């Protein structure tokens, strides 16, 4: 009986330790989402930039509350090869979904992909603003992070076709 109680105590302690580690990680990661901004205007500007630069728009939908959203952004920014791929091929925008600003009209325009896949979810637009792909981020995961190979494949599959 005592062994079972000790196991339960350790289990609770382990859970609390994991929660603390997660909170510490989240506190240290950059916060790329801005609930106060006008996403409608931001996306229009991203499309204008994409058209001028002959890029696609990579919308990462999520929020600063989402550890996987923060991990993906940090992973791309801290991995030179991935950052270069994004910088050369996409206008990268973080579409906020949070209690402060759910951007319901914009999410509805893209079929509310977060409801289906969770967050982050990626919306790819061509340079004219036409939606060409919705990506479930779970397919890019590996362990407690993201797979460099899977993310490279994703970026390569949806970069603009150069003539």
């Amino acid at each position: 009986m005592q062994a079972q109680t000790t196991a339960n105590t350790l289990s609770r302690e382990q859970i609390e330790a994991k929660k603390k580690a997660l909170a510490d990680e989240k506190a240290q990661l950059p916060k790329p989402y801005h609930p106060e901004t006008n996403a409608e205007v931001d996306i229009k500007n991203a499309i204008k930039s994409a058209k001028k630069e002959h890029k696609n728009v990579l919308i990462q939908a999520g929020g600063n509350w989402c550890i996987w959203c923060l991990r993906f952004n940090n992973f791309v920014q801290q991995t030179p090869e991935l950052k270069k791929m994004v910088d050369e091929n996409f206008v990268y925008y973080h579409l906020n979904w949070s209690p402060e600003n759910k951007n319901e009209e914009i999410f509805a325009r893209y079929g509310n992909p977060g409801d289906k896949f969770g967050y982050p979810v990626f919306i790819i637009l061509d340079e004219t603003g036409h939606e060409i792909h919705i990506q479930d981020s779970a397919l890019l995961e590996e362990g407690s992070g993201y797979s460099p190979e899977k993310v490279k494949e994703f970026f390569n599959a949806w970069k603009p076709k150069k003539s």
Side-chain angles (χ1 to χ4, degrees):
M1 188 71 136
Q2 186 178 6
Q4 197 172 19
T5 304
T6 304
N8 287 341
T9 303
L10 285 176
S11 177
R12 278 191 225 111
E13 288 171 0
Q14 289 171 333
I15 290 169
E16 290 305 314
K18 282 187 177 195
K19 282 183 184 177
K20 183 183 179 331
L22 198 60
D24 291 347
E25 179 187 3
K26 194 184 289 185
Q28 292 175 8
L29 291 170
K31 308 297 183 285
Y33 295 92
H34 300 282
E36 72 283 357
T37 62
N38 183 330
E40 183 77 41
V41 170
D42 290 348
I43 291 171
K44 282 182 182 172
N45 288 335
I47 293 166
K48 282 181 193 172
S49 293
K51 188 172 185 98
K52 189 169 90 177
E53 300 169 31
H54 304 292
K55 295 179 178 180
N56 285 342
V57 178
L58 169 62
I59 298 174
Q60 180 180 324
N64 293 328
W65 52 267
C66 166
I67 191 66
W68 284 95
C69 301
L70 301 180
R71 282 176 180 162
F72 187 87
N73 175 70
N74 194 59
F75 179 63
V76 169
Q77 299 306 318
Q78 298 301 316
T79 307
E81 183 180 10
L82 297 178
K83 182 167 179 15
K84 183 176 188 241
M85 289 177 80
V86 169
D87 291 347
E88 289 178 356
N89 296 293
F90 300 96
V91 175
Y92 192 15
Y93 178 69
H94 292 85
L95 174 60
N96 184 76
W97 187 95
S98 68
E100 304 87 32
N101 186 351
K102 294 181 181 178
N103 285 305
E104 292 170 307
E105 287 180 25
I106 294 169
F107 277 96
R109 181 180 313 146
Y110 302 117
N112 293 307
D115 292 351
K116 181 176 181 183
F117 298 118
Y119 295 97
V121 63
F122 302 97
I123 304 162
I124 307 291
L125 310 177
D126 68 14
E127 67 179 44
T128 68
H130 177 76
E131 176 191 316
I132 55 175
H133 183 66
I134 303 286
Q135 178 70 42
D136 176 358
S137 66
L139 301 175
L140 307 175
E141 294 174 11
E142 185 173 81
S144 62
Y146 289 95
S147 160
E149 290 308 312
K150 291 176 184 177
V151 173
K152 275 191 263 184
E153 286 174 23
F154 165 56
F155 289 161
N156 277 323
W158 298 104
K159 67 185 182 183
K161 308 300 179 226
K162 305 286 182 189
S163 41

